[in-house]
Amino acid sequence: MICHYFSEPQWLIISPDVPALLYYTHIPVALLALIIGTYIFSKMPKRPQNQYLFLLTLSFFGWITINLIAWTNIHAPVILSVWPLFGIFTALISVFSIYLTYTFINNDDVPNTLKATLLLLITPIFIFSHTDLSIEGFNISDCDAFGFEGLLFVTYYNLLGVLAIIWTAYFLIKAFVSNPKSSVQRKKIVLFGLGIQSFLITFISIIWIAGNLANAGIIEDSYFEFYGLFGMVAFLALLGILITQYKAFNVRVVSAQTLLVALVILVGSQVTVAETRLVMLVGVATLVLIMISGLLLNRSIKSELKQREKIESLAKDLTKANERLRELDKQKSEFVSIASHQLRSPLTTIRGYASMLAEGSFGTMSAKATEAAGRIEEAAKLMAMSIEDYLNISRIEAGNMKYILSDFNFKEMVDTICDGLRAEAMKKGLVLLFRSDINSRAIVNADIGKVNQIIHNLINNSIKYTPQGSISVLVRDDIQKKKIFVDITDTGIGMSQETIAKLFHKFSRADNANSVNVSGTGLGLFVAAKMAEAMGGEITAQSAGDGMGSTFTLTLPLAM
Amino acid sequence: MFFLKHFFSITVVLLLALSVTSTHFRFFVLEDYQVKHEIQCDPYTKVCFEACMDDLCTETYFHAYAVRQAKDLKQICGDDITHCEEALYCNPEVLPCEVVYCDPILRSCDTLHEDALILDKT
């Protein structure tokens, strides 16, 4: 039997008797859904969430296809054969929405109990689809089966849709609550939840209401069911955000590619609803241009994507290597610490006995033997100082350096140190001067031992690297800035700006340091700078260049 | 093992195949379904539906609906009932059928457009 009031469709679905909006709402949405579903599935076919998204979009595509056939075909057996499939596809959409939500949240396949439960629930739809419970007859005048649908059948499959809305909402709320606030997973759940719920709610409710009104004869046909399909557009848009922003479904796509596909489908579907040949030609031309430029754009995007992936992979390798280096550095510091401790004890013994030998505690020795014992003591002293530097470095790097803070007079301390080192300077024929320009009480709150060590180190360095001339030590303060300074200025070998830039690095020594035959590890300034920093101060160095002398300044906060 | 892993997919595919086959058999082979189509109706004796002849509704006509078995109607009129005399009336002696008139309880029959109520004047 055929609907004699309507024309035969061309190419199965093109009919002049249906609203033009039908094609615009159905074809682009169905194609977009199927393309996205298939693309995601093809990227990782074994991943359950990719499989269920594909099955969901495939069921949706099936629903739209039979809807188009039902709208445009005029043969009663054809329309009646596809009509029960509305129930089947609605049931499948409901089930796959539940599965997809479960797998998206848990990143694991659906348990067999849940699969079996839902399978049992949808089985009656398949079993009774060909019976009068599903559909009894056909209206030739209106060319549809409204009024002949079984109320129980329609209600049952639509209730499965309602069940899917409630079940997915339950999964989503549970996952949202169990994830920590502002976590990425929570944001993903919100986006996915908004998408799947907007799809299910609009699709199930609008189509159910439209079908019921048409069955009751209140409306002529289910025209406004078209609007129920727009929920899928919202779902796909949110899926696009999830994929491009959060790499959901393990798919790497850039926004431009998604936009391009959407654009081609939208312009393509506009061609199908063009009312005049001219509009259709313009539409086709636009579509061709978009496709050509899209192909070019896609090529450049692909190469950009490849580069980005390479950079990401390199960054990952770099992070790993960095972690490994940090681990090795830690192990090295531990080794240095242990080794230094082991060396310090015998060295103290060597120094002690060498000193006792030189002083004649074990009897009188010849002048040559006394000199040799003195050299042993001096060498042991230098070695002990180097070991102390190594130990300090391992303490600093391990974060184990202890600072005992107390108030003391900074100016008096520097004065005392100068007094102590003056004899050594004089031995080298140098003059060591001390001056002060103080407006405060010169009290600082710091570790007295460490500050002593820093100043001692700086003045000692000046003595070592000054072959002739003088060393001037000036203590000054700045009450407004609440800082106190000690400037150690010498007439020594000086430094270039390049040397100053790396002077406070580990194992760094001035390029011309060996010119004065001074041994050193290059650790003293590094340790001193780290100690000063830990006490809220800093050490800076200035020099006009090689052979022009240097000025080292230690700054510490004043205790007001 | 394979069935246990894919029991859902296998069952759904089997059920779908069963459903499509049985539906096709019922509607294409057995032609076991009812058809509802317009028949002539006298607005002076029955509560008829009023429908428009064209999109602008410049002219109207009155009709009722007949519901019959598709197979029976096809035997007399073929697939297309446009020019079939027997399809214009409901005569149970020729072809079993049921007539549906406009029911003001179920639907609004007071519009001048399609489905309008024409009062039974008899």
Side-chain angles (χ1 to χ4, degrees):
Chain A
M1 309 294 321
I2 62 164
C3 311
H4 54 111
Y5 289 155
F6 299 92
S7 321
E8 181 89 39
Q10 286 181 316
W11 301 330
L12 194 67
I13 55 165
I14 308 297
S15 165
D17 299 319
V18 296
L21 183 68
L22 175 85
Y23 300 107
Y24 198 64
T25 55
H26 281 55
I27 295 171
V29 181
L31 281 177
L32 199 62
L34 192 67
I35 288 170
I36 290 177
T38 312
Y39 180 75
I40 290 170
F41 175 67
S42 69
K43 286 285 160 184
M44 239 186 197
K46 288 194 174 171
R47 207 175 149 90
Q49 53 180 279
N50 296 27
Q51 292 171 355
Y52 293 128
L53 180 69
F54 172 65
L55 289 170
L56 173 64
T57 53
L58 191 66
S59 305
F60 181 75
F61 184 82
W63 191 97
I64 287 195
T65 308
I66 57 156
N67 192 252
L68 273 173
I69 293 170
W71 268 97
T72 56
N73 210 279
I74 61 165
H75 296 272
V78 175
I79 297 172
L80 284 172
S81 294
V82 298
W83 207 274
L85 291 172
F86 284 124
I88 289 172
F89 283 125
T90 305
L92 288 176
I93 286 170
S94 307
V95 168
F96 292 135
S97 297
I98 295 171
Y99 287 179
L100 175 65
T101 309
Y102 182 91
T103 49
F104 183 83
I105 290 167
N106 299 295
N107 217 7
D108 195 11
D109 200 2
V110 180
N112 282 342
T113 45
L114 181 59
K115 276 188 186 173
T117 309
L118 289 173
L119 186 61
L120 273 177
L121 284 172
I122 62 168
T123 302
I125 307 282
F126 289 91
I127 291 173
F128 297 110
S129 61
H130 71 287
T131 66
D132 278 351
L133 274 175
S134 162
I135 197 140
E136 273 185 296
F138 187 75
N139 186 336
I140 295 177
S141 305
D142 292 344
C143 208
D144 60 38
F146 289 119
F148 288 101
E149 285 185 300
L151 179 68
L152 190 67
F153 188 81
V154 173
T155 309
Y156 186 75
Y157 74 68
N158 278 306
L159 279 177
L160 281 177
V162 175
L163 182 75
I165 294 170
I166 296 167
W167 212 325
T168 49
Y170 166 73
F171 282 149
L172 290 161
I173 292 166
K174 201 175 147 193
F176 181 82
V177 172
S178 63
N179 273 289
K181 270 183 188 175
S182 68
S183 64
V184 175
Q185 183 62 11
R186 231 184 192 193
K187 284 176 193 164
K188 282 164 76 176
I189 288 167
V190 170
L191 283 173
F192 180 82
L194 284 173
I196 194 87
Q197 287 293 317
S198 61
F199 163 60
L200 283 174
I201 290 169
T202 50
F203 181 74
I204 300 292
S205 61
I206 293 178
I207 286 161
W208 192 7
I209 291 166
N212 273 335
L213 294 177
N215 269 327
I218 297 166
I219 54 173
E220 192 186 336
D221 54 39
S222 57
Y223 174 78
F224 75 87
E225 74 184 11
F226 296 171
Y227 301 104
L229 308 180
F230 287 121
M232 180 50 105
V233 180
F235 179 43
L236 294 175
L238 290 163
L239 271 187
I241 296 173
L242 277 168
I243 290 167
T244 51
Q245 300 294 312
Y246 298 102
K247 292 184 183 114
F249 301 94
N250 261 20
V251 175
R252 284 163 186 265
V253 182
V254 284
S255 325
Q257 282 175 311
T258 321
L259 192 68
L260 193 67
V261 173
L263 208 61
V264 167
I265 290 168
L266 285 174
V267 176
S269 55
Q270 269 186 341
V271 172
T272 64
V273 294
E275 285 178 357
T276 65
R277 191 169 286 271
L278 182 68
V279 174
M280 189 180 274
L281 278 172
V282 171
V284 169
T286 314
L287 189 65
V288 170
L289 278 175
I290 288 175
M291 284 169 87
I292 292 168
S293 51
L295 281 173
L296 294 171
L297 181 68
N298 193 41
R299 198 178 291 173
S300 90
I301 286 168
K302 266 188 177 173
S303 99
E304 209 169 283
L305 202 64
K306 216 177 251 180
Q307 280 178 345
R308 203 170 73 183
E309 277 173 3
K310 204 173 174 184
I311 290 168
E312 277 176 6
S313 156
L314 282 172
K316 264 185 194 169
D317 290 348
L318 207 62
T319 313
K320 269 186 194 169
N322 208 15
E323 275 169 18
R324 177 75 187 132
L325 277 175
R326 222 172 273 161
E327 183 63 28
L328 284 171
D329 199 44
K330 200 179 162 192
Q331 284 174 4
K332 179 217 68 187
S333 296
E334 280 171 12
F335 167 74
V336 170
S337 174
I338 292 163
S340 306
H341 273 292
Q342 297 294 327
L343 287 170
R344 204 161 55 168
S345 308
L347 204 59
T348 312
T349 313
I350 292 167
R351 272 184 76 185
Y353 280 106
S355 169
M356 284 162 78
L357 280 170
E359 284 165 8
S361 302
F362 301 108
T364 316
M365 294 195 300
S366 65
K368 277 188 178 176
T370 306
E371 193 191 336
R375 282 187 185 173
I376 290 170
E377 191 197 350
E378 191 59 31
K381 189 183 160 190
L382 285 172
M383 200 169 168
M385 280 166 71
S386 300
I387 288 170
E388 194 56 37
D389 280 343
Y390 294 136
L391 275 173
N392 280 333
I393 284 183
S394 37
R395 282 183 200 126
I396 287 166
E397 286 179 349
N400 291 334
M401 186 69 102
K402 298 274 186 301
Y403 295 89
I404 301 155
L405 304 181
S406 62
D407 287 352
F408 62 89
N409 191 305
F410 185 73
K411 188 193 123 191
E412 280 174 14
M413 174 195 265
V414 178
D415 196 4
T416 310
I417 293 168
C418 286
D419 286 344
L421 291 171
R422 195 160 284 121
E424 200 171 324
M426 283 173 74
K427 248 193 234 175
K428 277 190 78 179
L430 302 171
V431 178
L432 177 59
L433 297 168
F434 172 78
R435 286 183 299 129
S436 69
D437 179 10
I438 291 292
N439 299 309
S440 66
R441 293 188 301 129
I443 303 294
V444 295
N445 181 265
D447 186 314
I448 194 162
K450 304 278 189 305
V451 175
N452 195 311
Q453 192 181 332
I454 295 167
I455 298 166
H456 217 273
N457 186 303
L458 292 176
I459 299 175
N460 240 333
N461 271 354
S462 285
I463 295 170
K464 279 198 277 184
Y465 296 107
T466 306
Q468 58 184 14
S470 64
I471 295 148
S472 163
V473 178
L474 169 67
V475 176
R476 58 188 170 87
D477 62 1
D478 186 333
I479 294 177
Q480 280 187 335
K481 288 183 181 170
K482 297 179 183 171
K483 295 210 185 271
I484 192 160
F485 311 87
V486 55
D487 301 319
I488 298 139
T489 308
D490 61 50
T491 55
I493 59 171
M495 293 167 287
S496 63
Q497 291 305 309
E498 291 78 31
T499 305
I500 291 174
K502 56 183 182 181
L503 196 63
F504 297 99
H505 294 176
K506 246 191 285 185
F507 302 107
S508 172
R509 297 188 69 204
D511 297 335
N512 54 358
N514 292 328
S515 65
V516 284
N517 293 322
V518 173
S519 61
T521 56
L523 292 172
L525 281 177
F526 172 77
V527 172
K530 287 286 174 195
M531 284 178 176
E533 271 174 35
M535 291 184 287
E538 62 169 349
I539 299 175
T540 54
Q542 283 176 311
S543 175
D546 288 343
M548 308 290 283
S550 333
T551 299
F552 283 84
T553 303
L554 165 68
T555 310
L556 283 173
L558 270 173
M560 302 295 279
Chain B
M1 193 62 196
F2 180 81
F3 179 77
L4 274 178
K5 199 178 172 190
H6 302 281
F7 78 94
F8 181 85
S9 326
I10 293 168
T11 316
V12 166
V13 169
L14 286 175
L15 284 170
L16 190 63
L18 184 76
S19 164
V20 170
T21 313
S22 49
T23 308
H24 187 269
F25 186 73
R26 179 187 168 191
F27 295 118
F28 278 94
V29 181
L30 298 178
E31 292 181 302
D32 174 24
Y33 60 95
Q34 296 174 342
V35 282
K36 184 178 173 184
H37 61 92
E38 290 177 6
I39 54 167
Q40 287 186 345
C41 177
D42 180 4
Y44 293 99
T45 56
K46 301 288 178 195
V47 185
C48 301
F49 295 96
E50 187 184 17
C52 298
M53 297 286 278
D54 52 38
D55 288 346
L56 296 171
C57 213
T58 49
E59 214 177 326
T60 60
Y61 67 98
F62 302 104
H63 69 88
Y65 285 109
V67 179
R68 334 174 193 244
Q69 276 301 311
K71 201 175 180 178
D72 299 341
L73 186 62
K74 196 180 170 184
Q75 273 176 351
I76 295 170
C77 299
D79 268 339
D80 191 351
I81 61 166
T82 314
H83 304 294
C84 183
E85 184 86 9
E86 283 78 4
L88 292 173
Y89 306 97
C90 180
N91 185 355
E93 285 171 12
V94 180
L95 203 62
C97 71
E98 184 191 324
V99 182
V100 179
Y101 294 102
C102 187
D103 187 347
I105 297 166
L106 291 175
R107 60 197 302 133
S108 168
C109 294
D110 57 356
T111 166
L112 282 174
H113 298 289
E114 198 173 358
D115 300 343
L117 167 68
I118 303 299
L119 292 172
D120 190 348
K121 293 176 182 171
T122 55

